[in-house]
Amino acid sequence: MSKKNNIILIGFMGVGKGTIARALVKKTDFFAVDTDDLIESAENKKIKKIFKEEGESYFRDLEKKCALWLEKNVDNTVISTGGGFFRQENIHKIGKIIYLESSFEGILNRIHSAPNAKNKLKKRPLLSDLEEAKKLYNQRIKDYEEVADIKIDVENRTIDEIVKDILGSIL
Ligand code: S3P
């Protein structure tokens, strides 16, 4: 649907969208941007602080603005996204959408085995209550699948395998 040559990585918090984006940059001519990083730099504020001081709906408005900007201005780029970005109306106009899929338990294992696990949990306001996070995960999995052009299983697989899969599916 999209005429643009962007790869958009969607999926739940902590599934590894940023990690895979960085690995894709190493293996291709693509460069990468992350929607949360763009929002943080535009606001000069961490996501956690934006949620706390301005509220979630203010953050969602920024995501929308970011999505419109990406559609107009960005091409040939890997775009990693915040876990709720997939709801953007124009997402299909931005590029090819790849859903990184894992079970909730797989995501928690991944976060907990990271050397900076504490920070990974701390910076994500919607992960502060794990029961609520699991509910959000269950609510979203069907929607991620529906929005995605391509689904890639990332659980218990190496970064190299995942990158190979992604490149194989878009070429
Ligand atoms: C969110 C995911 C976060 C960040 C914000 C909201 C979500 O991004 O955008 O805390 O709604 O799932 P990550 O998926 O990179 O953690």
Side-chain angles (χ1 to χ4, degrees):
M1 196 184 199
S2 161
K3 289 196 194 80
K4 282 182 172 272
N5 192 33
N6 292 312
I7 299 174
I8 309 168
L9 302 178
I10 66 165
F12 202 68
M13 288 173 272
V15 77
K17 291 161 289 186
T19 303
I20 298 303
R22 287 184 286 276
L24 282 164
V25 166
K26 287 218 171 88
K27 290 264 157 70
T28 64
D29 290 339
F30 281 89
F31 210 57
V33 296
D34 179 272
T35 59
D36 281 347
D37 289 350
L38 289 169
I39 289 170
E40 286 187 343
S41 80
E43 291 282 299
N44 193 24
K45 231 184 229 185
K46 294 288 179 196
I47 301 294
K48 192 182 172 191
K49 204 162 185 207
I50 298 175
F51 265 69
K52 195 169 156 217
E53 290 181 358
E54 325 281 350
E56 181 170 347
S57 75
Y58 180 82
F59 173 74
R60 299 299 172 200
D61 287 346
L62 290 171
E63 280 191 316
K64 184 170 182 186
K65 193 168 179 184
C66 180
L68 294 170
W69 177 82
L70 288 167
E71 180 189 338
K72 264 201 190 150
N73 298 295
V74 173
D75 209 354
N76 304 307
T77 299
V78 182
I79 302 168
S80 54
T81 63
F85 188 87
F86 71 105
R87 294 209 189 284
Q88 297 308 316
E89 258 175 52
N90 67 332
I91 191 164
H92 286 282
K93 293 190 189 151
I94 303 174
K96 190 157 267 186
I97 304 166
I98 300 191
Y99 168 35
L100 304 184
E101 188 192 30
S102 164
S103 70
F104 187 69
E105 290 67 30
I107 289 169
L108 288 188
N109 284 339
R110 182 177 179 277
I111 292 175
H112 283 125
S113 61
N116 53 346
K118 248 197 180 156
N119 187 45
K120 279 188 181 293
L121 284 168
K122 215 173 82 187
K123 72 175 198 185
R124 295 181 162 102
L126 299 179
L127 274 185
S128 61
D129 177 336
L130 284 188
E131 230 168 85
E132 285 302 312
K134 170 113 205 221
K135 262 191 226 159
L136 188 63
Y137 172 90
N138 286 330
Q139 280 165 20
R140 280 186 182 169
I141 40 177
K142 248 187 97 214
D143 298 340
Y144 284 131
E145 288 203 10
E146 257 172 42
V147 169
D149 297 309
I150 297 160
K151 186 170 82 175
I152 305 274
D153 177 13
V154 299
E155 197 161 343
N156 299 318
R157 301 186 62 226
T158 65
I159 295 173
D160 275 356
E161 287 168 344
I162 297 164
V163 165
K164 241 185 229 158
D165 258 20
I166 292 176
L167 294 178
S169 68
I170 58 165
L171 297 174

